[in-house]
């Protein structure tokens, strides 16, 4: 017998509009005490009048206390539904991409809240970010086996979000064997992605289309790639004809991978690396009189929570200001943000302020978003998190 979760009067509006999240203050705790529900269990969600609205998994200890997994109250999130959703997700990616390197499951965007799956051909990397998904780990493996039969399945369960769900952070291999980075390709350039010990799942597929745009503008240019990670932007720029690329990151391990990925494409002479904090690197390069034709800013999220917005916006503003100082008379800035809490118009404002601070002119010539393998759920603004601006910065 499945338990129920009764909502307060009018608290079903967002659900009717298509949203998948329920907050603890929307639950009628007189009718269905939240604390009486087993964390991670699946429940039937009811409107205040008792009408069944769908099935969700719950976590009474989280602000988002339930996430809807089906509109059909008779369904359960099990191996069968996972197989169905994986097949739906796969059909989209196969329409989009000729090669099997992409995000296969993008959480709520693919109607599977709390689940991320990135595919590197026959290696898949899974992130279970909620207790409800954690409880389905075995079913996820079985469903992936049925849909893709991959050689290796990695659980990269080390995201900070797991802490909010009171889950341990760990990396395990659920199927097969893996002892190092895995080969992949993006925009015609080859990489080795460190799926076991890299950031997130080892690679950031979300910037694929933004990189493709920039790749068309770098031939013969001198390029600075800040927060380079393993060279997604910088190595691709070199592969598309950049004269010289400097990749800067605070992680020595990431920069070793940049060098390996450059060599993999025969680009070791064009790509140099520098280990430094980005702000310190910008100051040092300015002091040395260095200039670049293109500067790429793809920082980690400076705004993790809503309360960080003002500090985060100041950090983005400072970063963009300092980066512009390194551009020549007529340069190109690629300014990105993966902070969900930074509205797109605020990034435009950051760039505008930085251009004026340097007494230059700016022209926004490109506005980019996350790639299509990171689909946006139209009822959940939080699923549209990535922003990228291509800005021509010039003097009179």
């Amino acid at each position: 017998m499945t338990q129920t979760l009764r909502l307060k009067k009018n608290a079903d509006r967002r659900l009717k509009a298509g949203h998948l999240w329920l907050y603890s203050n929307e639950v009628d705790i007189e009718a269905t005490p939240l604390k009486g529900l087993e964390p991670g269990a699946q429940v039937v969600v009811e409107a205040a009048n008792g009408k069944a609205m769908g099935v969700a998994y719950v976590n009474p200890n989280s602000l988002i206390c339930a996430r809807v997994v089906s509109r059909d109250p008779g369904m359960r999130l099990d191996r069968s539904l996972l197989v169905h959703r994986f097949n739906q997700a796969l059909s989209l990616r196969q329409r989009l991409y000729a090669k099997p390197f992409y995000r296969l499951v993008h959480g709520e965007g693919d109607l599977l809240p709390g689940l991320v799956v990135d595919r590197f051909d026959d290696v898949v990397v899974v992130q279970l970010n909620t207790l409800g998904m954690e409880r389905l780990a075995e079913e996820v493996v079985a469903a992936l086996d049925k849909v893709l039969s991959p050689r290796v399945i990695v659980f990269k369960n080390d995201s900070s979000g797991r802490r909010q769900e009171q889950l341990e952070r760990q990396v395990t291999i659920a199927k097969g064997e893996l002892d190092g980075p895995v080969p992949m390709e993006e925009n015609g350039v080859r990489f080795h992605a460190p799926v076991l010990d890299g950031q997130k799942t080892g690679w950031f597929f979300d910037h694929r289309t933004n990189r493709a745009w920039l790749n068309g503008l770098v031939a013969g240019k001198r390029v600075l790639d800040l927060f380079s990670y393993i060279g997604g932007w910088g190595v691709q720029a070199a592969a598309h004809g950049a004269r010289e690329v400097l990749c800067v990151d605070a992680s020595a391990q990431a920069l070793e991978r940049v060098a390996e990925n450059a060599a993999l494409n025969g680009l070791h002479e064009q790509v140099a690396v520098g280990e430094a904090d980005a702000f310190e690197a910008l100051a040092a390069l300015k002091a040395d009189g260095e200039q670049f034709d293109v500067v790429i800013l793809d920082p980690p999220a400076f705004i993790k929570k809503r309360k960080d917005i003002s500090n985060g916006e100041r950090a983005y503003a400072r970063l963009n200001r300092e980066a512009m100082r390194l551009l020549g008379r007529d340069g190109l800035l690629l300014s990105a943000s993966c902070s969900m809490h930074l509205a797109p118009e605020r990034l435009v404002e950051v760039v505008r302020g930085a251009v004026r601070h340097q007494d230059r002119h700016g022209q926004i010539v490109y506005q980019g978003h996350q790639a299509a393998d990171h689909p946006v759920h139209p009822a959940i603004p939080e699923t549209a998190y990535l922003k990228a601006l291509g800005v021509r910065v010039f003097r009179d």
Side-chain angles (χ1 to χ4, degrees):
M1 168 78 179
T2 306
Q3 289 180 284
T4 57
L5 187 70
R6 180 74 58 92
L7 298 178
K8 291 177 181 170
K9 194 177 176 191
N10 296 328
D12 57 0
R13 281 184 189 150
R14 279 185 319 108
L15 215 56
K16 281 181 178 167
H19 212 296
L20 303 179
W21 297 350
L22 295 169
Y23 292 95
S24 49
N25 62 0
E26 295 173 321
V27 176
D28 180 350
I29 53 172
E30 297 292 310
T32 52
L34 256 181
K35 295 297 177 196
L37 296 171
E38 184 193 350
Q42 295 187 36
V43 297
V44 173
V45 180
E46 294 179 346
N49 63 3
K51 185 183 177 223
M53 300 187 68
V55 174
Y57 62 70
V58 295
N59 188 346
N61 306 313
S62 179
L63 175 64
I64 301 172
C65 69
R67 295 171 200 252
V68 174
V69 293
S70 175
R71 300 266 160 196
D72 178 351
M75 289 292 272
R76 293 296 171 269
L77 185 57
D78 55 14
R79 185 174 313 185
S80 164
L81 185 54
L82 285 166
V83 166
H84 173 62
R85 292 273 160 84
F86 289 170
N87 277 319
Q88 281 180 321
L90 181 62
S91 74
L92 172 65
R93 278 67 180 181
Q94 288 176 331
R95 267 180 275 171
L96 293 168
Y97 306 116
K99 297 193 173 176
F101 307 107
Y102 41 68
R103 172 149 295 182
L104 174 67
V105 175
H106 183 55
E108 282 79 355
D110 284 296
L111 308 180
L112 286 168
L115 181 66
V116 167
V117 182
D118 278 356
R119 183 181 186 188
F120 302 86
D121 194 7
D122 61 356
V123 175
V124 294
V125 183
V126 180
Q127 289 189 308
L128 306 169
N129 294 320
T130 56
L131 183 57
M133 275 298 170
E134 175 86 7
R135 286 180 54 158
L136 291 164
E138 286 180 23
E139 283 84 351
V140 168
V141 170
L144 283 170
D145 252 341
K146 186 164 174 60
V147 174
L148 289 179
S149 60
R151 179 175 60 85
V152 179
I153 298 175
V154 176
F155 278 127
K156 189 82 169 17
N157 291 331
D158 58 356
S159 71
S160 57
R162 282 174 65 90
R163 264 204 303 263
Q164 290 154 348
E165 296 268 324
Q166 281 112 38
L167 293 168
E168 281 180 37
R169 297 169 71 173
Q170 55 193 11
V171 179
T172 54
I173 297 177
K175 179 192 177 184
E177 290 180 12
L178 196 62
D179 53 8
V182 298
M184 60 157 293
E185 190 180 303
E186 184 179 283
N187 297 327
V189 185
R190 291 185 306 141
F191 291 90
H192 284 159
V195 301
L196 292 174
D197 58 357
Q199 292 179 26
K200 304 285 184 179
T201 62
W203 183 257
F204 294 88
F205 285 116
D206 52 3
H207 267 306
R208 178 196 318 247
T209 40
N210 301 324
R211 293 187 189 115
W213 174 79
L214 189 67
N215 290 344
L217 295 169
V218 295
K221 306 294 189 198
R222 187 167 193 239
V223 177
L224 173 63
D225 177 12
L226 280 172
F227 309 97
S228 71
Y229 184 43
I230 62 172
W233 292 93
V235 173
Q236 284 191 43
H240 287 84
R243 179 177 88 247
E244 191 184 324
V245 178
L246 174 59
C247 288
V248 174
D249 200 277
S251 160
Q253 188 181 20
L255 294 174
E256 280 173 31
R257 306 259 195 247
V258 171
E260 288 165 18
N261 287 323
L264 193 62
N265 293 278
L267 299 167
H268 48 282
E269 289 186 6
Q270 288 96 310
V271 179
V273 300
E275 184 187 341
D277 165 83
F279 289 102
E280 289 169 12
L282 286 168
L285 288 164
K286 182 65 186 165
D288 291 343
E290 297 284 0
Q291 274 200 346
F292 297 87
D293 304 301
V294 180
V295 176
I296 299 158
L297 302 177
D298 183 17
F302 288 160
I303 307 174
K304 290 262 181 25
K305 297 193 170 77
R306 197 162 266 136
K307 66 178 176 57
D308 304 330
I309 287 178
S310 58
N311 283 342
E313 286 189 357
R314 276 198 293 276
Y316 283 116
R318 183 180 159 213
L319 182 67
N320 280 266
R321 257 193 334 260
E322 298 305 312
M324 281 181 194
R325 297 172 66 195
L326 294 176
L327 286 169
R329 288 192 69 80
D330 191 350
L332 185 65
L333 178 75
L334 190 292
S335 182
S337 166
C338 61
S339 292
M340 175 181 80
H341 295 295
L342 184 74
E345 60 272 18
R346 293 303 298 161
L347 184 58
V348 170
E349 184 60 20
V350 159
V351 163
R352 183 206 61 75
V355 169
R356 292 312 306 135
H357 188 273
Q358 301 302 333
D359 200 21
R360 299 194 193 190
H361 300 290
Q363 292 172 318
I364 294 173
V365 294
Y366 174 78
Q367 298 191 55
H369 315 278
Q370 62 218 54
D373 56 351
H374 292 61
V376 173
H377 191 301
I380 309 178
E382 292 87 348
T383 58
Y385 64 95
L386 194 72
K387 298 151 286 277
L389 296 178
V391 189
R392 181 192 188 202
V393 179
F394 62 105
R395 298 182 194 280
D396 263 338

